[in-house]
Amino acid sequence: MLRNLIYITIFLTSILSFSQNIKSISEFKKVGDSLVNNRLSEFDKSGNLVREVNYGKFDSRLKTFRNKIRTFEFKNGQRVSEYFCENFVSKDTCVIRAFSTYEFDKKYGIEKQIKYESDSLIRFIRETKKSKRIKSSKTYSWEFIPVEKPDFEKALVLVDTIFYDKKKRKTKRVSYNSHKEKPVVELYKYSDKNYTYQTIGTYRDTTLTFQYNKLQKLADKKSLDYIFQNSKNYKYEIEYY
Protein backbone atom coordinates (compact mmCIF):
# COMPACT_ATOMS: atom_id res chain seq x y z
CA MET A 1 0.00 0.00 0.00
CA LEU A 2 2.81 2.40 0.95
CA ARG A 3 4.70 1.56 -2.23
CA ASN A 4 1.59 2.25 -4.34
CA LEU A 5 1.13 5.59 -2.57
CA ILE A 6 4.73 6.56 -3.36
CA TYR A 7 4.26 5.66 -7.01
CA ILE A 8 1.02 7.67 -7.20
CA THR A 9 2.75 10.69 -5.59
CA ILE A 10 5.64 10.51 -8.06
CA PHE A 11 3.18 10.14 -10.96
CA LEU A 12 1.10 13.14 -9.89
CA THR A 13 4.22 15.25 -9.34
CA SER A 14 5.40 14.36 -12.84
CA ILE A 15 2.02 15.31 -14.38
CA LEU A 16 2.00 18.66 -12.57
CA SER A 17 5.56 19.44 -13.66
CA PHE A 18 4.79 18.78 -17.30
CA SER A 19 1.47 20.68 -17.23
CA GLN A 20 2.57 23.81 -15.33
CA ASN A 21 4.34 26.74 -16.97
CA ILE A 22 7.90 27.32 -15.83
CA LYS A 23 8.52 30.78 -14.37
CA SER A 24 12.24 30.53 -13.61
CA ILE A 25 15.16 28.09 -13.50
CA SER A 26 18.02 28.70 -11.04
CA GLU A 27 21.28 26.95 -11.84
CA PHE A 28 23.83 26.27 -9.08
CA LYS A 29 27.39 25.10 -9.65
CA LYS A 30 29.18 22.77 -7.26
CA VAL A 31 32.36 24.31 -5.88
CA GLY A 32 33.90 21.98 -3.33
CA ASP A 33 31.18 21.18 -0.81
CA SER A 34 29.17 24.30 -1.65
CA LEU A 35 26.66 25.38 -4.27
CA VAL A 36 27.07 28.85 -5.80
CA ASN A 37 24.72 30.80 -8.07
CA ASN A 38 25.69 30.31 -11.70
CA ARG A 39 22.68 31.27 -13.85
CA LEU A 40 19.10 32.47 -13.47
CA SER A 41 16.65 32.22 -16.38
CA GLU A 42 13.15 33.72 -16.27
CA PHE A 43 10.31 32.95 -18.69
CA ASP A 44 6.88 34.40 -19.44
CA LYS A 45 3.76 32.22 -19.48
CA SER A 46 4.29 31.50 -23.19
CA GLY A 47 7.71 29.99 -22.49
CA ASN A 48 9.70 32.91 -23.90
CA LEU A 49 13.00 33.71 -22.20
CA VAL A 50 12.58 37.27 -20.88
CA ARG A 51 15.59 37.63 -18.57
CA GLU A 52 18.83 35.76 -17.98
CA VAL A 53 21.51 36.45 -15.36
CA ASN A 54 24.95 34.87 -15.58
CA TYR A 55 26.62 35.35 -12.21
CA GLY A 56 30.24 36.48 -12.38
CA LYS A 57 33.19 36.39 -10.01
CA PHE A 58 34.23 39.03 -7.54
CA ASP A 59 36.32 41.83 -9.05
CA SER A 60 38.93 42.58 -6.38
CA ARG A 61 40.02 45.79 -8.14
CA LEU A 62 36.53 47.28 -8.28
CA LYS A 63 35.42 45.45 -5.13
CA THR A 64 32.17 44.20 -6.62
CA PHE A 65 30.62 41.16 -8.25
CA ARG A 66 30.12 41.54 -12.00
CA ASN A 67 27.06 39.79 -13.44
CA LYS A 68 25.98 39.67 -17.07
CA ILE A 69 22.29 40.26 -17.72
CA ARG A 70 20.20 39.83 -20.87
CA THR A 71 16.59 41.04 -21.06
CA PHE A 72 14.05 40.49 -23.84
CA GLU A 73 10.82 42.32 -24.63
CA PHE A 74 7.93 40.63 -26.45
CA LYS A 75 4.78 42.01 -28.05
CA ASN A 76 2.07 39.75 -29.47
CA GLY A 77 4.40 36.77 -29.12
CA GLN A 78 7.25 38.35 -31.11
CA ARG A 79 10.54 39.72 -29.84
CA VAL A 80 10.93 43.45 -30.25
CA SER A 81 14.12 44.19 -28.31
CA GLU A 82 17.04 42.67 -26.42
CA TYR A 83 19.49 44.34 -24.04
CA PHE A 84 22.78 43.04 -22.71
CA CYS A 85 24.34 44.81 -19.75
CA GLU A 86 27.06 44.20 -17.16
CA ASN A 87 25.84 44.53 -13.61
CA PHE A 88 28.26 45.98 -11.04
CA VAL A 89 26.45 44.69 -7.96
CA SER A 90 27.89 46.85 -5.19
CA LYS A 91 27.33 49.99 -7.28
CA ASP A 92 23.80 48.88 -8.27
CA THR A 93 24.65 49.82 -11.87
CA CYS A 94 24.11 47.87 -15.09
CA VAL A 95 26.20 49.21 -18.00
CA ILE A 96 24.78 48.58 -21.48
CA ARG A 97 27.27 46.61 -23.62
CA ALA A 98 25.03 45.80 -26.61
CA PHE A 99 21.39 45.84 -27.66
CA SER A 100 19.18 44.55 -30.49
CA THR A 101 15.97 45.56 -32.20
CA TYR A 102 13.65 43.07 -33.91
CA GLU A 103 11.10 43.42 -36.68
CA PHE A 104 8.74 40.67 -37.87
CA ASP A 105 7.38 40.50 -41.40
CA LYS A 106 4.08 38.58 -41.08
CA LYS A 107 3.65 38.23 -44.85
CA TYR A 108 6.93 36.32 -45.35
CA GLY A 109 7.40 35.06 -41.77
CA ILE A 110 10.84 36.65 -41.44
CA GLU A 111 12.31 38.03 -38.21
CA LYS A 112 14.95 40.71 -38.71
CA GLN A 113 17.44 41.44 -35.93
CA ILE A 114 19.84 44.38 -35.89
CA LYS A 115 22.45 44.16 -33.16
CA TYR A 116 24.22 47.33 -32.00
CA GLU A 117 27.24 48.15 -29.88
CA SER A 118 26.71 50.40 -26.84
CA ASP A 119 27.65 53.40 -29.03
CA SER A 120 24.93 52.40 -31.58
CA LEU A 121 27.34 51.12 -34.22
CA ILE A 122 25.94 48.06 -36.03
CA ARG A 123 27.51 44.70 -35.18
CA PHE A 124 25.35 42.50 -37.41
CA ILE A 125 22.03 42.19 -39.26
CA ARG A 126 20.31 38.80 -39.24
CA GLU A 127 17.15 37.58 -40.99
CA THR A 128 15.57 34.35 -39.73
CA LYS A 129 12.69 32.30 -41.09
CA LYS A 130 11.10 29.30 -39.37
CA SER A 131 8.85 26.49 -40.52
CA LYS A 132 7.77 23.30 -38.74
CA ARG A 133 10.96 21.40 -39.55
CA ILE A 134 13.48 24.02 -40.72
CA LYS A 135 14.93 27.27 -39.40
CA SER A 136 17.19 29.26 -41.71
CA SER A 137 19.08 32.49 -41.12
CA LYS A 138 21.36 34.80 -43.05
CA THR A 139 23.68 37.16 -41.19
CA TYR A 140 25.69 40.13 -42.43
CA SER A 141 28.34 40.69 -39.79
CA TRP A 142 30.81 43.47 -39.01
CA GLU A 143 31.72 41.81 -35.71
CA PHE A 144 35.31 43.09 -35.47
CA ILE A 145 34.74 46.50 -37.06
CA PRO A 146 31.16 47.66 -36.30
CA VAL A 147 29.77 50.21 -38.75
CA GLU A 148 27.50 53.24 -38.63
CA LYS A 149 25.85 52.34 -41.94
CA PRO A 150 25.70 48.80 -43.37
CA ASP A 151 28.19 48.07 -46.13
CA PHE A 152 27.03 44.65 -47.29
CA GLU A 153 29.94 44.18 -49.73
CA LYS A 154 32.43 44.26 -46.84
CA ALA A 155 30.36 42.15 -44.45
CA LEU A 156 31.13 38.62 -43.34
CA VAL A 157 28.17 36.53 -44.53
CA LEU A 158 26.95 33.61 -42.44
CA VAL A 159 24.16 31.26 -43.52
CA ASP A 160 22.73 28.72 -41.06
CA THR A 161 20.10 26.05 -41.69
CA ILE A 162 18.78 23.90 -38.84
CA PHE A 163 16.63 20.81 -39.38
CA TYR A 164 14.25 19.37 -36.73
CA ASP A 165 12.45 16.07 -36.18
CA LYS A 166 8.77 15.58 -35.23
CA LYS A 167 9.64 16.20 -31.56
CA LYS A 168 11.17 19.59 -32.43
CA ARG A 169 14.70 18.34 -31.70
CA LYS A 170 17.68 19.41 -33.81
CA THR A 171 18.83 16.69 -36.19
CA LYS A 172 21.22 18.64 -38.41
CA ARG A 173 22.76 22.08 -38.73
CA VAL A 174 24.66 23.36 -41.76
CA SER A 175 26.66 26.60 -41.37
CA TYR A 176 28.23 28.49 -44.27
CA ASN A 177 30.89 31.19 -43.86
CA SER A 178 31.75 33.45 -46.79
CA HIS A 179 35.43 33.34 -45.77
CA LYS A 180 35.61 29.53 -45.93
CA GLU A 181 35.20 27.05 -48.77
CA LYS A 182 33.33 24.27 -46.96
CA PRO A 183 30.42 24.43 -44.53
CA VAL A 184 30.45 23.15 -40.96
CA VAL A 185 27.93 20.36 -40.37
CA GLU A 186 26.52 19.37 -36.98
CA LEU A 187 24.63 16.08 -36.61
CA TYR A 188 22.41 15.05 -33.68
CA LYS A 189 21.22 11.51 -32.97
CA TYR A 190 18.89 10.60 -30.10
CA SER A 191 18.11 7.54 -28.03
CA ASP A 192 16.09 7.06 -24.85
CA LYS A 193 19.11 7.56 -22.58
CA ASN A 194 21.41 9.94 -24.47
CA TYR A 195 22.13 11.82 -27.67
CA THR A 196 25.27 12.28 -29.74
CA TYR A 197 26.59 15.51 -31.22
CA GLN A 198 28.96 15.27 -34.18
CA THR A 199 30.80 18.08 -36.01
CA ILE A 200 32.14 17.78 -39.55
CA GLY A 201 34.24 20.38 -41.35
CA THR A 202 35.97 21.98 -38.36
CA TYR A 203 39.66 22.09 -37.51
CA ARG A 204 39.09 19.31 -34.99
CA ASP A 205 35.99 17.26 -35.84
CA THR A 206 34.52 15.45 -32.87
CA THR A 207 31.67 13.30 -31.60
CA LEU A 208 30.32 13.80 -28.08
CA THR A 209 27.70 11.86 -26.12
CA PHE A 210 25.38 13.54 -23.62
CA GLN A 211 23.05 11.92 -21.12
CA TYR A 212 19.48 12.94 -21.88
CA ASN A 213 18.11 13.63 -18.39
CA LYS A 214 14.54 14.20 -17.19
CA LEU A 215 15.04 17.94 -16.78
CA GLN A 216 16.11 18.35 -20.40
CA LYS A 217 13.12 16.30 -21.54
CA LEU A 218 10.90 18.65 -19.53
CA ALA A 219 12.48 21.74 -21.14
CA ASP A 220 12.21 20.26 -24.63
CA LYS A 221 8.58 19.26 -24.12
CA LYS A 222 7.78 22.85 -23.16
CA SER A 223 9.87 24.17 -26.10
CA LEU A 224 12.07 26.20 -23.75
CA ASP A 225 15.30 27.62 -25.14
CA TYR A 226 17.33 26.12 -22.30
CA ILE A 227 20.15 23.59 -21.91
CA PHE A 228 20.67 21.77 -18.59
CA GLN A 229 24.26 20.96 -17.61
CA ASN A 230 25.32 17.60 -16.18
CA SER A 231 23.90 16.73 -12.77
CA LYS A 232 27.32 15.89 -11.33
CA ASN A 233 28.50 19.50 -11.36
CA TYR A 234 25.21 21.44 -11.38
CA LYS A 235 21.95 21.53 -9.43
CA TYR A 236 18.67 23.20 -10.32
CA GLU A 237 15.62 24.79 -8.76
CA ILE A 238 12.50 25.30 -10.90
CA GLU A 239 9.74 27.79 -10.00
CA TYR A 240 6.31 27.45 -11.62
CA TYR A 241 3.54 29.96 -12.23
mmCIF file of all heavy atoms in Angstrom, residues 191-221:
data_model
loop_
_atom_site.group_PDB
_atom_site.id
_atom_site.type_symbol
_atom_site.label_atom_id
_atom_site.label_comp_id
_atom_site.label_asym_id
_atom_site.label_seq_id
_atom_site.Cartn_x
_atom_site.Cartn_y
_atom_site.Cartn_z
ATOM 1 N N SER A 191 18.632 8.801 -28.534
ATOM 2 C CA SER A 191 18.113 7.538 -28.034
ATOM 3 C C SER A 191 17.362 7.844 -26.743
ATOM 4 O O SER A 191 17.258 9.004 -26.333
ATOM 5 C CB SER A 191 19.249 6.540 -27.773
ATOM 6 O OG SER A 191 20.046 6.971 -26.682
ATOM 7 N N ASP A 192 16.842 6.829 -26.088
ATOM 8 C CA ASP A 192 16.088 7.059 -24.846
ATOM 9 C C ASP A 192 16.967 7.601 -23.727
ATOM 10 O O ASP A 192 16.509 8.374 -22.882
ATOM 11 C CB ASP A 192 15.428 5.763 -24.382
ATOM 12 C CG ASP A 192 14.314 5.325 -25.317
ATOM 13 O OD1 ASP A 192 13.782 6.198 -26.037
ATOM 14 O OD2 ASP A 192 14.004 4.121 -25.344
ATOM 15 N N LYS A 193 18.241 7.204 -23.704
ATOM 16 C CA LYS A 193 19.106 7.558 -22.581
ATOM 17 C C LYS A 193 20.071 8.699 -22.895
ATOM 18 O O LYS A 193 20.536 9.385 -21.986
ATOM 19 C CB LYS A 193 19.896 6.334 -22.129
ATOM 20 C CG LYS A 193 19.027 5.231 -21.546
ATOM 21 C CD LYS A 193 19.875 4.081 -21.053
ATOM 22 C CE LYS A 193 19.006 2.990 -20.439
ATOM 23 N NZ LYS A 193 19.811 1.843 -19.951
ATOM 24 N N ASN A 194 20.424 8.907 -24.158
ATOM 25 C CA ASN A 194 21.412 9.937 -24.474
ATOM 26 C C ASN A 194 21.251 10.416 -25.914
ATOM 27 O O ASN A 194 20.420 9.902 -26.664
ATOM 28 C CB ASN A 194 22.833 9.413 -24.238
ATOM 29 C CG ASN A 194 23.116 8.144 -25.017
ATOM 30 O OD1 ASN A 194 22.885 8.062 -26.218
ATOM 31 N ND2 ASN A 194 23.614 7.115 -24.332
ATOM 32 N N TYR A 195 22.056 11.396 -26.271
ATOM 33 C CA TYR A 195 22.127 11.822 -27.665
ATOM 34 C C TYR A 195 23.570 12.133 -28.006
ATOM 35 O O TYR A 195 24.387 12.461 -27.141
ATOM 36 C CB TYR A 195 21.210 13.019 -27.936
ATOM 37 C CG TYR A 195 21.654 14.342 -27.341
ATOM 38 C CD1 TYR A 195 22.449 15.225 -28.068
ATOM 39 C CD2 TYR A 195 21.264 14.709 -26.063
ATOM 40 C CE1 TYR A 195 22.846 16.434 -27.539
ATOM 41 C CE2 TYR A 195 21.657 15.923 -25.515
ATOM 42 C CZ TYR A 195 22.448 16.784 -26.267
ATOM 43 O OH TYR A 195 22.850 17.983 -25.733
ATOM 44 N N THR A 196 23.906 12.005 -29.276
ATOM 45 C CA THR A 196 25.265 12.281 -29.741
ATOM 46 C C THR A 196 25.280 13.546 -30.582
ATOM 47 O O THR A 196 24.316 13.853 -31.298
ATOM 48 C CB THR A 196 25.835 11.120 -30.568
ATOM 49 O OG1 THR A 196 24.997 10.885 -31.705
ATOM 50 C CG2 THR A 196 25.933 9.854 -29.732
ATOM 51 N N TYR A 197 26.374 14.262 -30.479
ATOM 52 C CA TYR A 197 26.585 15.508 -31.219
ATOM 53 C C TYR A 197 27.883 15.357 -32.003
ATOM 54 O O TYR A 197 28.944 15.124 -31.420
ATOM 55 C CB TYR A 197 26.667 16.679 -30.245
ATOM 56 C CG TYR A 197 27.202 17.969 -30.832
ATOM 57 C CD1 TYR A 197 26.437 18.731 -31.700
ATOM 58 C CD2 TYR A 197 28.479 18.417 -30.509
ATOM 59 C CE1 TYR A 197 26.922 19.907 -32.232
ATOM 60 C CE2 TYR A 197 28.978 19.594 -31.037
ATOM 61 C CZ TYR A 197 28.201 20.334 -31.899
ATOM 62 O OH TYR A 197 28.692 21.493 -32.430
ATOM 63 N N GLN A 198 27.794 15.464 -33.325
ATOM 64 C CA GLN A 198 28.960 15.275 -34.182
ATOM 65 C C GLN A 198 29.192 16.509 -35.034
ATOM 66 O O GLN A 198 28.248 17.079 -35.593
ATOM 67 C CB GLN A 198 28.760 14.056 -35.084
ATOM 68 C CG GLN A 198 29.938 13.771 -36.014
ATOM 69 C CD GLN A 198 29.684 12.595 -36.935
ATOM 70 O OE1 GLN A 198 28.575 12.049 -36.968
ATOM 71 N NE2 GLN A 198 30.686 12.189 -37.674
ATOM 72 N N THR A 199 30.448 16.944 -35.146
ATOM 73 C CA THR A 199 30.804 18.075 -36.009
ATOM 74 C C THR A 199 31.672 17.581 -37.156
ATOM 75 O O THR A 199 32.561 16.740 -36.979
ATOM 76 C CB THR A 199 31.559 19.164 -35.231
ATOM 77 O OG1 THR A 199 32.729 18.601 -34.615
ATOM 78 C CG2 THR A 199 30.681 19.769 -34.158
ATOM 79 N N ILE A 200 31.392 18.127 -38.340
ATOM 80 C CA ILE A 200 32.138 17.781 -39.546
ATOM 81 C C ILE A 200 32.520 19.064 -40.259
ATOM 82 O O ILE A 200 31.678 19.940 -40.476
ATOM 83 C CB ILE A 200 31.286 16.901 -40.490
ATOM 84 C CG1 ILE A 200 30.829 15.632 -39.780
ATOM 85 C CG2 ILE A 200 32.062 16.559 -41.757
ATOM 86 C CD1 ILE A 200 29.816 14.825 -40.582
ATOM 87 N N GLY A 201 33.791 19.203 -40.616
ATOM 88 C CA GLY A 201 34.241 20.382 -41.353
ATOM 89 C C GLY A 201 34.952 21.402 -40.507
ATOM 90 O O GLY A 201 35.268 22.499 -40.981
ATOM 91 N N THR A 202 35.235 21.078 -39.237
ATOM 92 C CA THR A 202 35.971 21.985 -38.357
ATOM 93 C C THR A 202 37.441 21.578 -38.311
ATOM 94 O O THR A 202 37.837 20.537 -38.850
ATOM 95 C CB THR A 202 35.399 21.961 -36.929
ATOM 96 O OG1 THR A 202 35.588 20.656 -36.371
ATOM 97 C CG2 THR A 202 33.921 22.305 -36.936
ATOM 98 N N TYR A 203 38.238 22.396 -37.646
ATOM 99 C CA TYR A 203 39.663 22.094 -37.508
ATOM 100 C C TYR A 203 39.862 20.781 -36.755
ATOM 101 O O TYR A 203 40.754 20.004 -37.066
ATOM 102 C CB TYR A 203 40.363 23.240 -36.757
ATOM 103 C CG TYR A 203 41.813 22.956 -36.405
ATOM 104 C CD1 TYR A 203 42.795 22.958 -37.395
ATOM 105 C CD2 TYR A 203 42.186 22.686 -35.093
ATOM 106 C CE1 TYR A 203 44.115 22.693 -37.081
ATOM 107 C CE2 TYR A 203 43.494 22.424 -34.767
ATOM 108 C CZ TYR A 203 44.460 22.428 -35.757
ATOM 109 O OH TYR A 203 45.769 22.163 -35.443
ATOM 110 N N ARG A 204 39.000 20.539 -35.769
ATOM 111 C CA ARG A 204 39.089 19.310 -34.993
ATOM 112 C C ARG A 204 37.685 18.709 -34.870
ATOM 113 O O ARG A 204 36.961 18.959 -33.916
ATOM 114 C CB ARG A 204 39.677 19.581 -33.608
ATOM 115 C CG ARG A 204 39.870 18.332 -32.769
ATOM 116 C CD ARG A 204 40.501 18.670 -31.428
ATOM 117 N NE ARG A 204 41.864 19.137 -31.587
ATOM 118 C CZ ARG A 204 42.638 19.537 -30.568
ATOM 119 N NH1 ARG A 204 42.154 19.529 -29.334
ATOM 120 N NH2 ARG A 204 43.868 19.944 -30.792
ATOM 121 N N ASP A 205 37.302 17.892 -35.869
ATOM 122 C CA ASP A 205 35.985 17.256 -35.835
ATOM 123 C C ASP A 205 35.887 16.332 -34.621
ATOM 124 O O ASP A 205 36.867 15.708 -34.218
ATOM 125 C CB ASP A 205 35.747 16.449 -37.111
ATOM 126 C CG ASP A 205 35.594 17.353 -38.328
ATOM 127 O OD1 ASP A 205 35.453 18.573 -38.140
ATOM 128 O OD2 ASP A 205 35.626 16.834 -39.451
ATOM 129 N N THR A 206 34.681 16.244 -34.081
ATOM 130 C CA THR A 206 34.521 15.455 -32.866
ATOM 131 C C THR A 206 33.114 14.890 -32.766
ATOM 132 O O THR A 206 32.192 15.373 -33.415
ATOM 133 C CB THR A 206 34.822 16.307 -31.614
ATOM 134 O OG1 THR A 206 34.797 15.487 -30.455
ATOM 135 C CG2 THR A 206 33.781 17.412 -31.455
ATOM 136 N N THR A 207 32.965 13.867 -31.928
ATOM 137 C CA THR A 207 31.667 13.300 -31.603
ATOM 138 C C THR A 207 31.558 13.198 -30.087
ATOM 139 O O THR A 207 32.416 12.594 -29.443
ATOM 140 C CB THR A 207 31.477 11.908 -32.225
ATOM 141 O OG1 THR A 207 31.586 12.000 -33.654
ATOM 142 C CG2 THR A 207 30.111 11.339 -31.868
ATOM 143 N N LEU A 208 30.528 13.805 -29.531
ATOM 144 C CA LEU A 208 30.324 13.804 -28.085
ATOM 145 C C LEU A 208 28.990 13.145 -27.761
ATOM 146 O O LEU A 208 28.040 13.227 -28.533
ATOM 147 C CB LEU A 208 30.333 15.238 -27.537
ATOM 148 C CG LEU A 208 31.594 16.065 -27.782
ATOM 149 C CD1 LEU A 208 31.377 17.500 -27.328
ATOM 150 C CD2 LEU A 208 32.792 15.459 -27.067
ATOM 151 N N THR A 209 28.930 12.504 -26.586
ATOM 152 C CA THR A 209 27.705 11.856 -26.124
ATOM 153 C C THR A 209 27.235 12.521 -24.841
ATOM 154 O O THR A 209 28.022 12.725 -23.914
ATOM 155 C CB THR A 209 27.924 10.353 -25.886
ATOM 156 O OG1 THR A 209 28.350 9.740 -27.110
ATOM 157 C CG2 THR A 209 26.634 9.691 -25.422
ATOM 158 N N PHE A 210 25.958 12.880 -24.786
ATOM 159 C CA PHE A 210 25.384 13.542 -23.618
ATOM 160 C C PHE A 210 24.232 12.715 -23.072
ATOM 161 O O PHE A 210 23.409 12.197 -23.829
ATOM 162 C CB PHE A 210 24.867 14.945 -23.986
ATOM 163 C CG PHE A 210 25.924 15.869 -24.488
ATOM 164 C CD1 PHE A 210 26.204 15.943 -25.842
ATOM 165 C CD2 PHE A 210 26.648 16.669 -23.618
ATOM 166 C CE1 PHE A 210 27.176 16.803 -26.319
ATOM 167 C CE2 PHE A 210 27.621 17.535 -24.085
ATOM 168 C CZ PHE A 210 27.891 17.598 -25.438
ATOM 169 N N GLN A 211 24.174 12.596 -21.751
ATOM 170 C CA GLN A 211 23.052 11.925 -21.116
ATOM 171 C C GLN A 211 21.807 12.800 -21.242
ATOM 172 O O GLN A 211 21.846 13.984 -20.950
ATOM 173 C CB GLN A 211 23.355 11.645 -19.641
ATOM 174 C CG GLN A 211 24.503 10.666 -19.431
ATOM 175 C CD GLN A 211 24.234 9.299 -20.050
ATOM 176 O OE1 GLN A 211 23.144 8.753 -19.895
ATOM 177 N NE2 GLN A 211 25.215 8.759 -20.755
ATOM 178 N N TYR A 212 20.720 12.196 -21.658
ATOM 179 C CA TYR A 212 19.481 12.939 -21.878
ATOM 180 C C TYR A 212 18.619 12.807 -20.634
ATOM 181 O O TYR A 212 17.840 11.863 -20.490
ATOM 182 C CB TYR A 212 18.768 12.385 -23.106
ATOM 183 C CG TYR A 212 17.768 13.334 -23.701
ATOM 184 C CD1 TYR A 212 18.192 14.459 -24.398
ATOM 185 C CD2 TYR A 212 16.411 13.110 -23.587
ATOM 186 C CE1 TYR A 212 17.284 15.333 -24.957
ATOM 187 C CE2 TYR A 212 15.492 13.977 -24.135
ATOM 188 C CZ TYR A 212 15.939 15.085 -24.828
ATOM 189 O OH TYR A 212 15.037 15.955 -25.383
ATOM 190 N N ASN A 213 18.775 13.756 -19.684
ATOM 191 C CA ASN A 213 18.115 13.628 -18.387
ATOM 192 C C ASN A 213 16.658 14.105 -18.412
ATOM 193 O O ASN A 213 16.186 14.689 -19.380
ATOM 194 C CB ASN A 213 18.904 14.374 -17.303
ATOM 195 C CG ASN A 213 19.080 15.844 -17.634
ATOM 196 O OD1 ASN A 213 18.144 16.505 -18.064
ATOM 197 N ND2 ASN A 213 20.286 16.358 -17.442
ATOM 198 N N LYS A 214 15.961 13.868 -17.288
ATOM 199 C CA LYS A 214 14.538 14.201 -17.194
ATOM 200 C C LYS A 214 14.293 15.698 -17.288
ATOM 201 O O LYS A 214 13.296 16.141 -17.854
ATOM 202 C CB LYS A 214 13.969 13.651 -15.887
ATOM 203 C CG LYS A 214 13.913 12.134 -15.826
ATOM 204 C CD LYS A 214 13.316 11.666 -14.509
ATOM 205 C CE LYS A 214 13.258 10.147 -14.463
ATOM 206 N NZ LYS A 214 12.680 9.653 -13.173
ATOM 207 N N LEU A 215 15.211 16.497 -16.734
ATOM 208 C CA LEU A 215 15.037 17.941 -16.780
ATOM 209 C C LEU A 215 15.089 18.456 -18.210
ATOM 210 O O LEU A 215 14.308 19.324 -18.602
ATOM 211 C CB LEU A 215 16.108 18.631 -15.926
ATOM 212 C CG LEU A 215 15.953 18.502 -14.418
ATOM 213 C CD1 LEU A 215 17.153 19.126 -13.705
ATOM 214 C CD2 LEU A 215 14.662 19.151 -13.940
ATOM 215 N N GLN A 216 16.016 17.910 -19.015
ATOM 216 C CA GLN A 216 16.111 18.346 -20.402
ATOM 217 C C GLN A 216 14.873 17.932 -21.192
ATOM 218 O O GLN A 216 14.393 18.667 -22.060
ATOM 219 C CB GLN A 216 17.371 17.786 -21.056
ATOM 220 C CG GLN A 216 17.690 18.435 -22.404
ATOM 221 C CD GLN A 216 17.943 19.930 -22.265
ATOM 222 O OE1 GLN A 216 18.783 20.346 -21.489
ATOM 223 N NE2 GLN A 216 17.196 20.729 -23.016
ATOM 224 N N LYS A 217 14.349 16.738 -20.886
ATOM 225 C CA LYS A 217 13.115 16.299 -21.539
ATOM 226 C C LYS A 217 11.967 17.245 -21.203
ATOM 227 O O LYS A 217 11.128 17.553 -22.055
ATOM 228 C CB LYS A 217 12.777 14.872 -21.104
ATOM 229 C CG LYS A 217 13.689 13.803 -21.689
ATOM 230 C CD LYS A 217 13.261 12.426 -21.238
ATOM 231 C CE LYS A 217 14.160 11.350 -21.833
ATOM 232 N NZ LYS A 217 13.766 9.989 -21.400
ATOM 233 N N LEU A 218 11.940 17.704 -19.945
ATOM 234 C CA LEU A 218 10.905 18.651 -19.529
ATOM 235 C C LEU A 218 11.030 19.958 -20.300
ATOM 236 O O LEU A 218 10.039 20.494 -20.806
ATOM 237 C CB LEU A 218 11.024 18.909 -18.025
ATOM 238 C CG LEU A 218 10.119 20.009 -17.439
ATOM 239 C CD1 LEU A 218 8.657 19.633 -17.605
ATOM 240 C CD2 LEU A 218 10.456 20.238 -15.967
ATOM 241 N N ALA A 219 12.255 20.489 -20.418
ATOM 242 C CA ALA A 219 12.485 21.742 -21.143
ATOM 243 C C ALA A 219 12.133 21.601 -22.614
ATOM 244 O O ALA A 219 11.503 22.491 -23.213
ATOM 245 C CB ALA A 219 13.936 22.179 -20.982
ATOM 246 N N ASP A 220 12.509 20.471 -23.217
ATOM 247 C CA ASP A 220 12.214 20.259 -24.634
ATOM 248 C C ASP A 220 10.723 20.122 -24.878
ATOM 249 O O ASP A 220 10.197 20.612 -25.877
ATOM 250 C CB ASP A 220 12.949 19.016 -25.134
ATOM 251 C CG ASP A 220 14.456 19.214 -25.192
ATOM 252 O OD1 ASP A 220 14.901 20.370 -25.033
ATOM 253 O OD2 ASP A 220 15.177 18.221 -25.373
ATOM 254 N N LYS A 221 10.022 19.437 -23.964
ATOM 255 C CA LYS A 221 8.583 19.259 -24.123
ATOM 256 C C LYS A 221 7.866 20.604 -24.075
ATOM 257 O O LYS A 221 6.862 20.814 -24.757
ATOM 258 C CB LYS A 221 8.041 18.332 -23.037
ATOM 259 C CG LYS A 221 6.576 17.943 -23.232
ATOM 260 C CD LYS A 221 6.136 16.938 -22.202
ATOM 261 C CE LYS A 221 4.689 16.510 -22.422
ATOM 262 N NZ LYS A 221 4.501 15.802 -23.703
#
